Amino acid sequence: MDKKAVVIAGAGSTHTPGIIQSLLQKKNELPLRKLALYDIDEKRMHLVYDIMKQFIEQEAPDIEVVVTTDPEKAFTDVDFVFAQIRQGGLQMRRQDERIPLKYGCVGQETCGAGGSISYGIRSIPGVFDLVRYAKKYSPDAWILNYSNPAAVVAEATRREFNNDHILNICDMPTAILLSYSKMLGLPSWRDIDPMYFGLNHFGWFTKIYDKQGRDRLPELRQMILEHGMAVSDKHHKDKDWMHTWGQYVKIVKDYPEYLPNSYLQYYLYSKDMADDMDPNWTRADNVINGREKEMFAEHDKYLADPANYKSPVQSFTVFGDFIVDAAASIAYNKCERYLVIVENNGAIPNLPDDAMVEVPAYLRSWGPEPISQPAIPTFYKGLIEEQNASEKLAVDAYYEHSYQKALEAIAINKTVPSTTVARQILDDLIEANGNYWPTLS
Ligand code: NAD
Ligand code: G6P
Ligand code: MN
């Protein structure tokens, strides 16, 4: 196998240590010749590098390591870009979550006015920059983008680049499959071949095939209803996520036909969720005081004794596991089957061709080959079309610098009850986003 070069863009991310661990622990699946780290925040990137340096030297002493804020150095001679930026950082995530809540609407990283619209419009130009660097300095490289909100970013990269050598992905379905596999007593999430339809953070499992070809969904549904969800991935285990898994059972009770993506809680129970959230302390605050603080504390350990510091080695998260496998499937044309975000083009026959949908696909060296799904029932179709309209309008607002389109994107979103509220939220978001957004008129 020829060795590959990977650049992690947004290398100061709290997820980078886990991704590096997966990359190096899975070096037989995706052998590396080079690992580049790129970020606009030099200090934060070096903090992550300090933490992971010892592990990299131990596991992969022969690879070239590049740590840089210079796009040319970072993106030259790479085969893969792992894109994981957060424009405006966790401070802006906090604003995205707090502003809708001020008006009684769901405040969430990727959902609703703060997620699809605020974070969406903010994320697009940052991701475009990364794609342009890749196309300029390594035109054959594949960009695996998971910078959020992936649904909106995927629609924007479709319009701008026709998603040529770009694959948008998300770990949520895989994290859910990990739970399912544990509940069914299967050794790995790869032992399930799911059928699934929807948008990113807005979809449903319709079949849970095991390798014998049996659909295990009815059995799984019964287990969930009787015993709840088995929680698996270490990222999705803290108190907030445990609340999500409790809600998951409620969704299955109310809509037992298929098994949902957990993000549907924010749409199907938007008022209950908003009523339950604290506008002065949101998920961003818990991430800042949890995952991010732990990363800084780890760095303090490094600073206390750099020469003897040992990188923390945990079992990898399902996310790193999935990204590396997805990259390897593309790199070596392995034709493995993963849930990814692609242009519909008939994969779900009764949704628009140009919707960016999340479905299973075989990953080939030339890209994803989506697996078509049966036509979907009216309830799901209606929900998806409304959400898809909101996401497309957010991208329209970005391109057209249109206040009206942004207003429509928010007003049509299921998390927002009225146009009056949509306008109030939008006006606050414009102020909060400042130069991260184009000037809307
Ligand atoms: P984080 O704030 O800890 O890290 C983001 C990093 O990106 C920071 O180091 C920041 O300096 C850098 N950055 C910001 N703008 C940049 C730009 N324009 N160019 C280069 N670097 C830039 O965030 P996090 O919580 O670790 O998450 C990172 C991203 O990954 C977010 O978008 C998050 O939503 C996404 N994510 C997606 C999935 C998924 O399922 N798709 C899963 C996990 C995380
Ligand atoms: C899941 C989703 C991601 C999202 C993350 C948020 O993994 O798939 O898209 O970014 O959850 O988790 P957090 O712990 O940052 O709230
Ligand atoms: Mn996701």
Side-chain angles (χ1 to χ4, degrees):
M1 283 199 283
D2 57 326
K3 296 185 174 179
K4 302 293 177 189
V6 172
V7 56
I8 301 181
S13 155
T14 49
H15 296 292
T16 301
I19 307 278
I20 293 178
Q21 258 167 32
S22 294
L23 269 170
L24 300 188
Q25 286 171 352
K26 294 174 79 87
K27 59 191 171 197
N28 293 334
E29 278 86 351
L30 187 71
L32 285 190
R33 60 185 168 85
K34 176 164 107 175
L35 175 63
L37 302 183
Y38 168 77
D39 204 291
I40 49 171
D41 183 338
E42 184 156 25
K43 192 163 162 236
R44 196 175 167 110
M45 173 170 61
H46 274 280
L47 184 148
V48 169
Y49 181 53
D50 285 344
I51 295 173
M52 294 312 291
K53 192 164 177 268
Q54 179 270 330
F55 180 72
I56 297 171
E57 282 167 0
Q58 174 192 304
E59 293 298 310
D62 300 333
I63 66 169
E64 182 190 349
V65 179
V66 177
V67 184
T68 182
T69 55
D70 176 348
E72 181 169 0
K73 285 198 187 109
F75 288 80
T76 297
D77 183 33
V78 295
D79 303 291
F80 287 95
V81 179
F82 291 180
Q84 46 172 36
I85 61 169
R86 186 187 289 288
Q87 289 266 94
L90 287 162
Q91 296 302 330
M92 281 306 298
R93 173 177 178 174
R94 183 166 22 202
Q95 299 274 61
D96 293 341
E97 292 170 345
R98 286 183 182 207
I99 289 169
L101 276 174
K102 202 170 127 190
Y103 300 100
C105 299
V106 164
Q108 213 283 326
E109 182 200 20
T110 64
C111 302
S116 300
I117 293 90
S118 180
Y119 190 18
I121 297 176
R122 196 166 68 244
S123 232
I124 293 169
V127 173
F128 280 6
D129 283 347
L130 303 180
V131 175
R132 292 198 180 103
Y133 297 146
K135 294 204 174 291
K136 180 166 179 196
Y137 298 118
S138 289
D140 295 329
W142 269 91
I143 298 141
L144 301 190
N145 176 66
Y146 39 100
S147 312
N148 267 318
V152 176
V153 170
E155 168 63 13
T157 56
R158 182 188 73 82
R159 291 195 204 178
E160 190 72 18
F161 305 104
N162 196 25
N163 280 331
D164 172 32
H165 282 71
I166 302 171
L167 185 64
N168 295 282
I169 56 173
C170 164
D171 69 344
M172 203 68 249
T174 312
I176 294 172
L177 286 176
L178 179 66
S179 293
Y180 292 170
S181 63
K182 295 231 162 106
M183 293 168 80
L184 293 169
L186 301 171
S188 157
W189 56 271
R190 291 180 199 73
D191 295 317
I192 297 174
D193 287 327
M195 293 290 268
Y196 185 96
F197 69 81
L199 310 170
N200 177 237
H201 290 184
F202 205 99
W204 288 265
F205 293 93
T206 59
K207 302 276 181 196
I208 299 291
Y209 290 120
D210 64 17
K211 290 295 174 193
Q212 283 70 47
R214 284 179 301 168
D215 176 17
R216 309 291 292 270
L217 191 143
E219 183 183 341
L220 204 45
R221 173 170 47 219
Q222 212 46 44
M223 286 181 191
I224 294 167
L225 290 173
E226 281 170 24
H227 310 292
M229 274 289 268
V231 181
S232 49
D233 187 38
K234 76 171 184 225
H235 170 191
H236 303 102
K237 265 190 179 153
D238 67 15
K239 198 163 154 267
D240 295 335
W241 280 103
M242 291 313 291
H243 184 258
T244 291
W245 301 124
Q247 287 282 112
Y248 194 86
V249 181
K250 190 169 164 179
I251 310 177
V252 179
K253 272 192 189 137
D254 282 336
Y255 302 100
E257 187 175 21
Y258 302 139
L259 294 179
N261 188 302
S262 48
Y263 276 92
L264 287 158
Q265 65 177 324
Y266 298 110
Y267 302 97
L268 296 173
Y269 311 94
S270 64
K271 182 169 185 312
D272 319 27
M273 293 299 290
D275 288 350
D276 219 34
M277 290 174 168
D278 179 354
N280 299 312
W281 191 272
T282 64
R283 174 68 186 161
D285 295 286
N286 283 340
V287 172
I288 290 166
N289 288 285
R291 191 164 74 232
E292 190 178 55
K293 209 175 200 171
E294 283 163 25
M295 187 169 90
F296 294 156
E298 192 60 46
H299 191 245
D300 287 342
K301 284 193 216 161
Y302 165 85
L303 290 176
D305 188 4
N308 294 306
Y309 176 78
K310 293 247 177 301
S311 306
V313 184
Q314 310 127 357
S315 57
F316 42 63
T317 58
V318 77
F319 196 27
D321 198 17
F322 166 47
I323 295 166
V324 177
D325 283 3
S329 191
I330 294 173
Y332 305 112
N333 196 19
K334 287 162 81 177
C335 196
E336 289 172 353
R337 192 175 185 273
Y338 297 106
L339 283 160
V340 295
I341 304 162
V342 292
E343 187 168 314
N344 187 28
N345 286 328
I348 303 168
N350 54 345
L351 286 180
D353 277 351
D354 66 356
M356 288 305 294
V357 296
E358 198 161 66
V359 288
Y362 296 109
L363 298 191
R364 313 298 304 259
S365 55
W366 52 88
E369 291 186 337
I371 298 166
S372 66
Q373 306 293 303
I376 59 176
T378 306
F379 176 67
Y380 308 92
K381 183 170 182 283
L383 287 169
I384 289 173
E385 286 186 342
E386 183 184 59
Q387 175 66 12
N388 191 229
S390 179
E391 290 165 358
K392 284 200 182 280
L393 285 161
V395 179
D396 288 346
Y398 167 79
Y399 273 109
E400 298 168 25
H401 300 189
S402 163
Y403 181 96
Q404 184 63 25
K405 291 285 173 69
L407 179 69
E408 291 169 6
I410 297 175
I412 202 175
N413 200 281
K414 198 167 167 54
T415 61
V416 177
S418 94
T419 305
T420 315
V421 168
R423 198 180 283 284
Q424 288 167 320
I425 295 175
L426 177 57
D427 290 342
D428 281 14
L429 289 178
I430 288 173
E431 202 183 322
N433 276 287
N435 289 333
Y436 284 115
W437 272 19
T439 305
L440 303 185
S441 56

